[in-house]
Amino acid sequence: MPKSCMSCTFVTLVASITFASAHAAVPADYLHLDYCVIGAGPGGLQTAYFLQQSQRHYLVFERSNLSGSFFVRYPRHRKLISINKRYTGKQNKEFNLRHDWNSLISHDENLLFKHYAKDFFPHADTMVHYLNNFTNKFDLKVRYNTEITWIEAEKDPRAWNGHYFFLTDQNDSHYRCSVLLVATGMWVPNMPDFPGSEYAEGYESISVDPAHFAGQAVLILGRGNAAFETADNILGMTNFIHMLSRSRVRLAWATHYVGDVRAVNNAMLDTYQLKSLDGLLEGDLDNIAIVQDKKGKLHLRLRYHFDKSKASQDVSSNSNNQRLMYEEEADNFSVRQPYDRVIRCLGWKFDFSIFNNLTKPQRGRGRMNKYPLVKASYESESLPGMFIIGTASHSIDYRKSAGGFIHGFRYTARAVHHLLEHRYHGITWPATTLPITHLTNMIIKRINEASGLYQMFSVLADFVLLRKNATEFEYLEEYPIGALPHLPENTGKDATNGLFVINLEYGSNFSRPESDVFHPSRAVGEPGHAWLSNFLHPVIYFYKRLPTETEMMQRPKFWPLPRPDSIHHIVEDFLTNWTAAKAHILPLRRFLENCLGTDLRSFFAESCFKFALTNQYVPPFCRHGYLNMQGLLGDEILWLESVEMDHPSSDAVSTEER
């Protein structure tokens, strides 16, 4: 057992958890691994990369014969909606990742996605090629054609978490794991259950040839990108398309959530609003029924009328029932015309079936029940040592940030890796220690370059941990905001002397489906009104002490963090370039100075000399530099050159005169 684990409280399991299935004994023959990763999609491969770089004992299990098998089939119409911005005008790799939504993190710049595709919205086959090249380039340990079909756990005091995970594959081979990293993604189609749902064709199997829809009337169930992608493909061939969903359309440019409807697929909004026969409808799928007539046409009906007509079957013929159902509905019922086809585009859910009842993750709450419930550290709520990686971990930031997509979970996978390194191997979270005089520059550098903060805004943040007397600080990058109260135990760092949190946020009222994000006064330019900024902008929180778990839970509604002792908004910038001396840097420096009670300005040596002669207090910059004799060290040659510059016509001065 790693030394760092011996005294950790997390190895004690909650009393309500029992281990090993009731119907199967834990196998005696197995392959033992420290880390088991299920799934060789982008989330699993990103995790494997970090484990490989740390030389950990791991194995990735993949049910298909290649990496990234999800992209062999999806999206069905083969165009990714993750942008591939190859040019930004900058050479900074970290900055460029802000606009590269497809690359995995690695030390090899040849494995940036821009080298694989030129299209702004790449073809899905390119992603398959890229992920397999990534696997082969780093010789990641992936066992293909191995489908994990059963997961259970057994108590063992020797285990890192107080229990081992036991995995069984389709060939009845067994594996024992100290830590389980589930990166299976979201691939089980959501199947509605209403009368006539069997007539709906699934997105996963529908034809992608537009000619197959020529002259047809089509009803699409769902209103996400899969639904609009399908509509966009057949728009020019159908008589009309209707789209039904329980909620209004959510446009990504209004919600600022990349999982909502993207402009690349929303041509049907034009044909609807410009009255070209197509249309969008709102309605709960639990309240509908689909009825097939004798000609094979499909009719959408309200379930209330369907149930009522069904109840009268004992006194009427089927044809009379159908006529009764039509007559009871309004004669201008919106969907009174029949359809030739109904297509189900309702997304996917997590596969809970591979877990036994005692190790199965809890489901997310409400509309997030398609996801497993995880802590802010991405560890399962129900079982220590099991982490959810990649798309399936999106319950933490669903409809908020990019955690369900490559350009988001590549950073959360790295955060989980740092946590694992500390918890099981005693390696503290990476940090940079600098004099306090570097604080302003460090923050400015990060808010202008960091891709993790930019993509996972309000989920991952940078943390500044102050040393005693605030003479130095430690800078931690991209730590999960939700795990703030547990920062010391997750990182091995001391937060008793106060801390700053550097976050990126949108305005509180700017990211809603009904928002007018193009109104004339949508942006703020005055630094004094920075707190009214709408677009993504830096927000710095200052805490004199580490907030507690209770304070985290009771934080103000829609706030990512508890109420701080002080807070500072840096005004939004059209170029997302927060380097303006007066608008961005000066207000930030003064905020930091007020929080620290010190002077963070930089001074020339002459000014430091005057401070030392005339003041009891010397600014930190002078104290750490000038008074420590740091700076340019002189020698005889430099001295002679300076004298000659002052007296170019005089002879060289003798050594004695010096």
Side-chain angles (χ1 to χ4, degrees):
M1 180 187 296
K3 183 177 179 181
S4 64
C5 291
M6 291 183 177
S7 61
C8 296
T9 59
F10 58 79
V11 300
T12 303
L13 302 177
V14 292
S16 62
I17 299 177
T18 310
F19 296 90
S21 68
H23 54 80
V26 172
D29 56 324
Y30 51 77
L31 171 65
H32 174 78
L33 299 152
D34 289 344
Y35 297 94
C36 292
V37 183
I38 306 179
L45 296 179
Q46 185 67 86
T47 300
Y49 168 80
F50 292 125
L51 292 172
Q52 182 100 331
Q53 294 302 302
S54 299
Q55 299 182 344
R56 301 304 173 200
H57 185 212
Y58 78 95
L59 186 62
V60 181
F61 301 96
E62 169 54 45
R63 63 179 181 172
S64 179
N65 63 346
L66 77 172
S67 299
S69 59
F70 180 87
F71 295 98
V72 173
R73 190 174 190 180
Y74 302 112
R76 292 301 314 285
H77 303 92
R78 313 311 291 147
K79 179 188 286 188
L80 299 176
I81 58 174
S82 48
I83 66 173
N84 177 41
K85 191 170 180 61
R86 301 174 66 223
Y87 303 103
T88 65
K90 297 190 177 183
Q91 301 300 315
N92 186 302
K93 177 184 176 183
E94 181 69 11
F95 174 86
N96 288 341
L97 277 174
R98 288 184 167 190
H99 309 287
D100 174 354
W101 291 12
N102 299 286
S103 296
L104 295 180
I105 297 172
S106 78
H107 60 273
D108 189 343
E109 293 198 18
N110 292 320
L111 282 168
L112 293 174
F113 198 84
K114 67 180 182 180
H115 300 308
Y116 289 77
K118 295 182 179 180
D119 295 332
F120 190 66
F121 294 110
H123 196 281
D125 289 348
T126 308
M127 177 60 73
V128 177
H129 176 58
Y130 171 77
L131 293 176
N132 283 276
N133 268 20
F134 190 92
T135 305
N136 297 331
K137 175 69 175 181
F138 297 115
D139 195 24
L140 301 181
K141 297 178 178 63
V142 180
R143 180 168 291 185
Y144 294 108
N145 300 309
T146 304
E147 182 177 6
I148 299 301
T149 58
W150 195 245
I151 300 172
E152 53 191 343
E154 183 183 69
K155 271 189 176 182
D156 193 319
R158 298 167 298 175
W160 293 357
N161 298 285
H163 59 272
Y164 287 114
F165 296 94
F166 287 89
L167 281 53
T168 304
D169 67 18
Q170 81 276 21
N171 299 316
D172 206 32
S173 297
H174 306 291
Y175 312 89
R176 188 181 79 172
C177 319
S178 296
V179 176
L180 180 61
L181 299 152
V182 182
T184 53
M186 307 282 287
W187 64 273
V188 180
N190 280 313
M191 306 284 287
D193 183 17
F194 57 81
S197 59
E198 66 273 13
Y199 297 119
E201 304 172 72
Y203 170 79
E204 64 276 6
S205 58
I206 193 71
S207 171
V208 296
D209 184 354
H212 291 169
F213 298 85
Q216 294 184 353
V218 177
L219 172 66
I220 297 178
L221 305 179
R223 193 164 296 167
N225 280 296
F228 275 92
E229 167 204 329
T230 301
D232 201 55
N233 183 55
I234 62 177
L235 202 60
M237 301 297 291
T238 56
N239 291 342
F240 63 84
I241 302 172
H242 290 165
M243 190 177 289
L244 175 67
S245 177
R246 64 186 173 187
S247 60
R248 60 173 293 167
V249 64
R250 294 174 177 268
L251 301 172
W253 66 59
T255 63
H256 303 108
Y257 171 59
V258 297
D260 282 334
V261 177
R262 304 285 299 286
V264 65
N265 286 325
N266 69 10
M268 186 175 161
L269 297 181
D270 268 7
T271 58
Y272 170 43
Q273 289 294 330
L274 300 178
K275 303 307 295 178
S276 187
L277 298 181
D278 303 319
L280 274 63
L281 299 150
E282 284 76 43
D284 196 322
L285 297 187
D286 290 335
N287 298 328
I288 68 168
I290 295 177
V291 179
Q292 188 176 52
D293 64 22
K294 293 180 180 180
K295 297 180 180 180
K297 298 287 186 177
L298 301 173
H299 300 260
L300 179 64
R301 297 296 169 231
L302 297 178
R303 187 164 185 172
Y304 168 78
H305 294 142
F306 174 84
D307 291 341
K308 188 174 180 180
S309 66
K310 186 177 181 183
S312 65
Q313 281 184 3
D314 56 338
V315 295
S316 304
S317 66
N318 289 340
S319 59
N320 289 336
N321 284 334
Q322 192 169 353
R323 186 178 69 251
L324 174 65
M325 185 161 48
Y326 298 161
E327 289 173 352
E328 289 189 349
E329 291 168 347
D331 60 1
N332 66 340
F333 185 47
S334 299
V335 288
R336 57 189 179 274
Q337 293 189 9
Y339 300 97
D340 296 290
R341 306 175 82 159
V342 177
I343 305 174
R344 166 180 44 78
C345 299
L346 299 171
W348 300 269
K349 58 187 177 181
F350 182 75
D351 182 11
F352 291 90
S353 68
I354 62 175
F355 302 89
N356 73 352
N357 289 335
L358 304 174
T359 58
K360 183 181 296 184
Q362 298 177 33
R363 289 180 178 270
R365 302 177 181 92
R367 293 189 178 182
M368 292 189 291
N369 65 355
K370 61 184 177 180
Y371 295 105
L373 190 62
V374 295
K375 301 176 183 177
S377 60
Y378 297 90
E379 188 172 22
S380 170
E381 282 278 8
S382 57
L383 197 58
M386 179 166 68
F387 293 82
I388 309 299
I389 305 297
T391 301
S393 67
H394 197 29
S395 63
I396 286 182
D397 63 311
Y398 182 56
R399 292 201 177 281
K400 297 177 183 177
S401 196
F405 313 91
I406 292 176
H407 62 291
F409 63 65
R410 61 189 178 194
Y411 303 105
T412 60
R414 181 165 62 186
V416 170
H417 175 69
H418 290 328
L419 189 150
L420 298 176
E421 287 291 288
H422 173 60
R423 180 185 290 188
Y424 301 119
H425 308 289
I427 299 175
T428 58
W429 195 286
T432 302
T433 302
L434 292 169
I436 199 67
T437 52
H438 292 212
L439 181 56
T440 305
N441 288 341
M442 188 66 177
I443 293 175
I444 290 295
K445 180 178 186 298
R446 287 289 295 169
I447 63 176
N448 282 289
E449 294 180 0
S451 56
L453 294 183
Y454 196 82
Q455 300 293 8
M456 290 302 295
F457 57 88
S458 297
V459 178
L460 299 179
D462 284 1
F463 287 74
V464 175
L465 306 182
L466 300 174
R467 293 285 183 87
K468 191 174 182 179
N469 299 324
T471 56
E472 291 183 325
F473 67 91
E474 282 188 287
Y475 199 98
L476 279 67
E477 299 178 2
E478 297 167 16
Y479 176 82
I481 275 184
L484 172 60
H486 306 286
L487 186 144
E489 62 210 65
N490 287 338
T491 64
K493 300 297 182 180
D494 181 12
T496 58
N497 298 308
L499 66 155
F500 292 93
V501 182
I502 294 88
N503 189 31
L504 292 181
E505 302 176 14
Y506 278 99
S508 58
N509 297 315
F510 196 56
S511 300
R512 299 177 180 177
E514 67 276 10
S515 295
D516 177 9
V517 294
F518 300 107
H519 63 85
S521 57
R522 60 187 176 271
V524 174
E526 173 57 46
H529 298 152
W531 62 281
L532 294 173
S533 295
N534 282 320
F535 286 91
L536 197 66
H537 64 284
V539 183
I540 293 86
Y541 297 74
F542 173 64
Y543 297 95
K544 294 179 181 178
R545 59 168 180 79
L546 189 68
T548 64
E549 183 72 33
T550 300
E551 290 171 332
M552 191 70 187
M553 295 176 63
Q554 296 177 350
R555 66 188 184 273
K557 190 176 182 180
F558 302 126
W559 282 44
L561 289 164
R563 194 175 298 278
D565 293 290
S566 298
I567 189 170
H568 176 69
H569 290 253
I570 299 180
V571 69
E572 62 190 336
D573 188 77
F574 183 72
L575 302 175
T576 59
N577 182 11
W578 294 281
T579 55
K582 293 181 180 179
H584 303 138
I585 299 176
L586 180 59
L588 171 63
R589 197 200 77 215
R590 287 178 174 170
F591 167 75
L592 298 175
E593 289 175 339
N594 288 334
C595 293
L596 298 171
T598 191
D599 190 339
L600 295 180
R601 290 177 296 173
S602 300
F603 297 93
F604 290 110
E606 182 180 355
S607 298
C608 289
F609 177 69
K610 291 180 179 178
F611 273 121
L613 292 179
T614 60
N615 290 272
Q616 291 184 341
Y617 171 80
V618 177
F621 184 87
C622 297
R623 190 163 61 247
H624 297 153
Y626 178 77
L627 295 185
N628 285 334
M629 301 184 68
Q630 294 181 4
L632 183 65
L633 299 178
D635 58 21
E636 185 172 352
I637 296 176
L638 286 174
W639 192 90
L640 289 173
E641 288 180 353
S642 67
V643 170
E644 290 175 358
M645 291 178 65
D646 289 337
H647 308 284
S649 59
S650 62
D651 296 330
V653 183
S654 67
T655 303
E656 287 77 8
E657 288 180 289
R658 282 185 280 148

